[in-house]
Amino acid sequence: INWDIMLCLHNNWWRILCYVRQQHLILKVIDVIESFDGFSAENQPFFIEILNDPLLNAFPLRASYLLKLIKSYVKKVEKYGYQLLDEIASILGDLLNEDGSDDAEGRWSFKSYVYNVKNIQNVADEMKHCERIQTYNKIYDNESTSCFETNANAVATSENGILHQHGVVSLRLSDNLFEGSTGCHEWEAGFVLAEFILNHPYVFKSKSCLELGCGAGLAGIALHRVGTPNIVLTDGNQAAVENCQRNLILNGISSNVVDFDEASQRVKKSDCTSVLDVTPVTCSRLSWEEKLRSPAMFDVIIGSDILYDPIVIPVLINLLLQLLDESHQDNSSKTIQTSVIHKRAIIATMLRNESTLDLFLNEAIKCGLTCRRVNPYPDEAGISSGQLSTFKTGKVNESDQNDGHYIHLINVPILEKRSSVLIHEILLEKA
């Protein structure tokens, strides 16, 4: 399939492909197809191409989803009096003859997302992504989990540096909010935070970064792709931590799971001068209630959708106070020798309950934290940059600038409410 042609001439089908890769609601998918008469004889070949998409072959759709999608499509073809192509009928017949039940993944699905790179879709890199995923799947099918981790990490390390700003992200996500913890689900603020990272690489390059509530690992993947050499991703749920590691590996990033104290020590001993290092991304379980034994030298702390409950706000603020306290820095650190570090936290919040966000901001200020809202879309039409602060810090290299090009995730229905996601920069006031 030549997606270059589809992008230029059939943008509607590109949108449908993105929706199906995300296993978007079938009713919505069919409604969009209906809006451009996508059931006609001329359009049916494009539906077939979507069913044969290499990425969907690498990560097959859940059997129940695929069957319902094709049956819904066929019903519309019949409704409008078009003749169904034999290939679609054959695919449907094969599915009906199969078990039809979902695989051992149970209530888990693989979903893929695309972001633009320099205003074009990098099809060659997307195919490379598919080939790598197929390789990992073979390893996972044939080996135990521990062997999968070792072998896949070896492959990821050998590819390190090739996958920079790749354009495609695939994630293993829970279909049920009550299984695998809410962290294994996709959330609006996580996508916006990932976009923010991709559009502000100078904030994260040559830095050590800690994520609170890493969930499925999307922000961690974005950090790696902008060249953050030291990344520690944490979550309070062990299942989420393990799933995050698996998602990193599936996206070509070497990763391991270690105790948080060990991860902190690694950061203290590391050299952050390399733009793209082969140091594995570390995943750790972190309970916010526990006092940190030795707050690590993280330059940037990030988090998304972590202000979900007023009860956690005092605990979170106390944790931020520990992490942002620059008195914990070790003057012998290689990081300190290379540049002056001003620790900061960047938090993305979906505005579900304004009172909870206000509570956090007010309590943070009382505790000596400075909070300012950041405009994540400085170049977007219709948003006045004069109303909000534009995020800039330190010297920006020419290679890190976007030249007016804004990177954003393409055709992601969950981001229809991206304007409701707010980003705040948080600093600790110096005495």
Side-chain angles (χ1 to χ4, degrees):
I1 186 169
N2 191 329
W3 287 117
D4 281 324
I5 296 176
M6 180 173 280
L7 281 170
C8 294
L9 302 178
H10 302 280
N11 192 52
N12 285 324
W13 281 111
W14 170 242
R15 181 182 176 188
I16 295 302
L17 174 64
C18 291
Y19 282 5
V20 173
R21 285 176 171 178
Q22 300 164 42
Q23 300 197 39
H24 187 40
L25 294 173
I26 291 175
L27 180 62
K28 299 291 186 182
V29 174
I30 295 299
D31 284 347
V32 175
I33 297 177
E34 193 168 23
S35 70
F36 61 88
D37 192 25
F39 308 107
S40 66
E42 295 77 15
N43 271 302
Q44 289 182 43
F46 289 101
F47 184 70
I48 294 172
E49 293 293 355
I50 285 179
L51 298 179
N52 293 326
D53 172 49
L55 193 53
L56 294 179
N57 286 329
F59 277 150
L61 297 170
R62 293 185 63 184
S64 57
Y65 182 92
L66 180 59
L67 180 59
K68 186 176 180 180
L69 173 66
I70 298 176
K71 288 174 71 174
S72 299
Y73 184 86
V74 170
K75 286 181 179 179
K76 289 292 185 179
V77 171
E78 295 172 345
K79 173 184 175 181
Y80 289 105
Y82 296 118
Q83 184 174 351
L84 185 69
L85 293 184
D86 291 341
E87 189 169 348
I88 298 178
S90 177
I91 295 173
L92 178 58
D94 290 341
L95 284 172
L96 291 172
N97 290 330
E98 293 176 0
D99 186 342
S101 59
D102 293 313
D103 58 21
E105 282 292 325
R107 297 192 178 185
W108 294 82
S109 295
F110 289 96
K111 301 181 182 181
S112 297
Y113 305 88
V114 176
Y115 59 88
N116 59 326
V117 180
K118 297 301 180 184
N119 292 317
I120 62 171
Q121 175 56 39
N122 194 327
V123 177
D125 281 346
E126 183 172 334
M127 295 305 101
K128 185 187 299 179
H129 181 73
C130 297
E131 293 171 1
R132 183 177 64 255
I133 289 173
Q134 288 174 327
T135 300
Y136 291 161
N137 282 348
K138 289 177 182 177
I139 293 173
Y140 186 73
D141 289 340
N142 296 330
E143 304 287 349
S144 66
T145 302
S146 59
C147 290
F148 162 75
E149 178 182 331
T150 302
N151 294 335
N153 265 320
V155 177
T157 301
S158 68
E159 292 184 346
N160 214 348
I162 299 175
L163 306 173
H164 183 54
Q165 289 206 345
H166 193 274
V168 189
V169 177
S170 296
L171 299 173
R172 177 180 182 265
L173 299 165
S174 173
D175 295 330
N176 189 331
L177 286 177
F178 303 103
E179 290 189 14
S181 91
T182 56
C184 297
H185 190 67
E186 63 266 55
W187 297 101
E188 298 92 335
F191 287 105
V192 173
L193 180 59
E195 288 181 336
F196 180 88
I197 293 167
L198 293 171
N199 282 288
H200 300 81
Y202 51 86
V203 177
F204 305 96
K205 278 190 176 181
S206 303
K207 299 291 193 296
S208 58
C209 188
L210 168 71
E211 182 175 15
L212 303 176
C214 62
L218 178 60
I221 294 169
L223 285 171
H224 184 270
R225 291 187 179 178
V226 300
T228 309
N230 261 305
I231 305 169
V232 177
L233 309 178
T234 68
D235 201 282
N237 182 278
Q238 187 62 32
V241 171
E242 293 171 359
N243 186 59
C244 176
Q245 185 214 15
R246 178 169 178 174
N247 282 331
L248 291 168
I249 294 173
L250 289 172
N251 286 276
I253 302 172
S254 182
S255 173
N256 52 34
V257 177
V258 301
D259 179 82
F260 180 73
D261 287 334
E262 181 181 343
S264 300
Q265 293 302 319
R266 289 185 184 181
V267 171
K268 286 185 177 182
K269 296 176 182 178
S270 64
D271 184 354
C272 288
T273 59
S274 173
V275 173
L276 195 57
D277 204 348
V278 296
T279 305
V281 174
T282 302
C283 302
S284 302
R285 182 183 177 278
L286 175 63
S287 174
W288 296 356
E289 292 83 359
E290 297 176 9
K291 181 176 176 59
L292 302 181
R293 297 179 183 176
S294 55
M297 301 200 36
F298 294 105
D299 305 319
V300 185
I301 296 93
I302 64 171
S304 62
D305 269 328
I306 56 178
L307 305 178
Y308 52 86
D309 189 341
I311 296 177
V312 308
I313 287 178
V315 179
L316 175 59
I317 290 176
N318 180 61
L319 179 61
L320 289 174
L321 288 170
Q322 296 180 67
L323 292 168
L324 294 173
D325 186 354
E326 296 192 18
S327 66
H328 292 300
Q329 293 178 340
D330 182 355
N331 291 331
S332 66
S333 168
K334 297 179 181 179
T335 307
I336 293 300
Q337 291 178 1
T338 57
S339 61
V340 177
I341 299 301
H342 298 289
K343 294 186 174 187
R344 69 192 70 241
I346 301 169
I347 296 178
T349 305
M350 178 66 181
L351 197 56
R352 297 184 179 88
N353 189 332
E354 192 170 350
S355 63
T356 302
L357 175 60
D358 289 341
L359 176 62
F360 169 78
L361 295 175
N362 292 332
E363 291 301 316
I365 292 172
K366 290 179 183 178
C367 294
L369 295 171
T370 299
C371 306
R372 71 183 185 99
R373 185 176 166 188
V374 174
N375 183 3
Y377 311 113
D379 299 322
E380 289 285 275
I383 297 181
S384 172
S385 59
Q387 295 177 352
L388 300 171
S389 300
T390 299
F391 195 95
K392 289 186 178 180
T393 176
K395 184 178 179 181
V396 181
N397 295 326
E398 188 173 326
S399 61
D400 292 334
Q401 297 183 16
N402 286 328
D403 300 323
H405 169 70
Y406 178 73
I407 297 174
H408 64 280
L409 288 150
I410 300 170
N411 293 326
V412 181
I414 196 175
L415 282 179
E416 291 175 355
K417 297 181 180 179
R418 63 154 48 89
S419 60
S420 297
V421 176
L422 308 181
I423 293 184
H424 288 84
E425 178 192 23
I426 300 171
L427 303 169
L428 178 62
E429 294 179 1
K430 295 184 178 179

